Amino acid sequence: MRILRTIAEVRAAVSDARTPGRTVGLVPTMGAFHEGHLSLMRAARAQNGLVVVSLFVNPTQFAANEDLSTYPRDESRDAALAEAEGVDILFAPEPAEIYPDGFATNIHVAGITEVLDGASRGPHHFDGVATVVTKLFGIVRPDVAYFGQKDAQQVLVVRRVMRDLNLDVRIEACPIVREPDGLAMSSRNVYLDADARAQAAALNRALDAAAATRSAGERDADSILSAAHAVLAEASLEPEYLELRDAETLHPVTRVERDALLLVAARVGAARLIDNHLLPGNDSSKGSS
Ligand code: AMP
């Protein structure tokens, strides 16, 4: 595996490796790898001739009061884990390589970025995501890019950019990887002390409880949400948001008639955590992620 720092090096390495029929898969990350990241690398490795992982803690998607300076960073550990997954290129640029002086472009996706994490974290968040992902696609020019369904709103934002700007990159959304007690893996889980770690498991339990009412035939959003609220209250967790929204448009849902996302964000101890489940619109299909 090669660790590359500059855009010029990545472009040269990818174009040398690109031969007819040999697809390029990209996994964009901010590092501090866990099994969630590794699952994306495995999917990319299984489906492509060349696998590029980007490791870049993107400053523009953090608000001033967020954890940019304390975000966990351990490049040598990450490099060893990526290498063990058969990754070909780890692209780990400095911020100035991505945002040189004079950088002036911002990609804003209207309509799906103002709600949920866009409301909690501010409008800059998804602008930062959309802009850096589009830059990474311009640098690597992948055939396929791999994202986690854990960040369900991010997947929708990236898909919308691809569609609206006619960028020809297939977006693969991979299932959420969880700890044995159901907590969605996250680089931010290292912020949890023992009490907060135990409390954090209630997020997925709450989503499970709501999903169970849906599986039992419930379609009314308030009834589904109240099952989740009860579990959060029992764990003394006050969600930043707990919402049921259309799985494609993110419009609020009052009755589940089409696939819907049940999404939660909460501060748990020193961490801000998010999670979601897909609730099927169809009564016969059971499933959650
Ligand atoms: P991050 O480094 O947190 O920006 O995440 C990089 C990619 O890994 C994103 O596409 C995330 O959605 C994905 N990811 C993070 N956590 C998980 C998880 N628990 N399961 C699956 N994918 C994940």
Side-chain angles (χ1 to χ4, degrees):
M1 186 183 76
R2 297 176 66 192
I3 301 178
L4 303 179
R5 308 267 168 213
T6 69
I7 292 166
E9 288 170 319
V10 173
R11 280 184 177 283
V14 173
S15 78
D16 284 351
R18 201 191 298 270
T19 52
R22 188 161 191 247
T23 58
V24 177
L26 171 66
V27 182
T29 81
M30 300 204 303
F33 293 156
H34 51 66
E35 279 294 321
H37 297 108
L38 302 186
S39 74
L40 306 186
M41 294 177 207
R42 278 172 211 144
R45 184 67 284 166
Q47 296 170 9
N48 297 279
L50 186 80
V51 176
V52 182
V53 171
S54 60
L55 194 178
F56 181 60
V57 183
N58 176 35
T60 64
Q61 69 192 67
F62 288 76
N65 63 344
E66 291 185 337
D67 56 346
L68 175 62
S69 62
T70 54
Y71 196 82
R73 290 167 169 88
D74 189 345
E75 187 186 299
S76 48
R77 175 181 172 275
D78 285 348
L81 289 168
E83 177 143 44
E85 296 302 335
V87 169
D88 299 301
I89 296 171
L90 185 69
F91 176 40
E94 291 297 325
E97 180 71 6
I98 299 297
Y99 301 113
D101 283 349
F103 186 87
T105 298
N106 185 47
I107 297 184
H108 176 73
V109 179
I112 54 173
T113 61
E114 296 84 355
V115 298
L116 301 167
D117 260 28
S120 295
R121 302 187 64 179
H124 68 279
H125 173 64
F126 286 114
D127 289 11
V129 169
T131 305
V132 81
V133 166
T134 304
K135 271 188 72 94
L136 290 168
F137 288 3
I139 293 163
V140 176
R141 279 169 287 168
D143 299 280
V144 198
Y146 297 81
F147 292 84
Q149 186 60 22
K150 155 112 186 318
D151 298 277
Q153 191 175 9
Q154 172 170 278
V155 170
L156 292 172
V157 169
V158 172
R159 287 211 160 112
R160 186 63 62 88
V161 174
M162 295 304 101
R163 199 181 78 188
D164 288 354
L165 299 185
N166 306 100
L167 300 180
D168 196 13
V169 178
R170 186 158 62 81
I171 305 303
E172 285 259 336
C174 299
I176 301 175
V177 178
R178 298 178 178 283
E179 300 286 356
D181 67 356
L183 174 64
M185 290 197 183
S186 164
S187 302
R188 292 187 166 97
N189 290 351
V190 298
Y191 300 152
L192 300 169
D193 64 18
D195 287 348
R197 174 64 188 79
Q199 204 185 12
L203 291 178
N204 179 58
R205 279 206 309 279
L207 300 182
D208 270 347
T213 69
R214 175 70 201 99
S215 297
E218 185 60 74
R219 289 185 183 276
D220 177 63
D222 286 343
S223 306
I224 293 169
L225 288 167
S226 67
H229 273 297
V231 176
L232 294 179
E234 205 174 308
S236 307
L237 281 180
E238 176 72 41
E240 247 174 39
Y241 61 74
L242 173 67
E243 296 190 40
L244 198 53
R245 288 185 173 259
D246 184 273
E248 278 174 21
T249 63
L250 290 185
H251 292 160
V253 163
T254 52
R255 267 185 77 75
V256 179
E257 307 286 1
R258 297 158 22 105
D259 287 358
L261 282 167
L262 177 63
L263 311 103
V264 67
R267 293 213 157 268
V268 186
R272 177 183 183 277
L273 303 179
I274 60 171
D275 199 352
N276 70 85
H277 279 217
L278 184 68
L279 302 192
N282 186 334
D283 262 337
S284 60
S285 74
K286 292 188 180 179
S288 63
S289 59

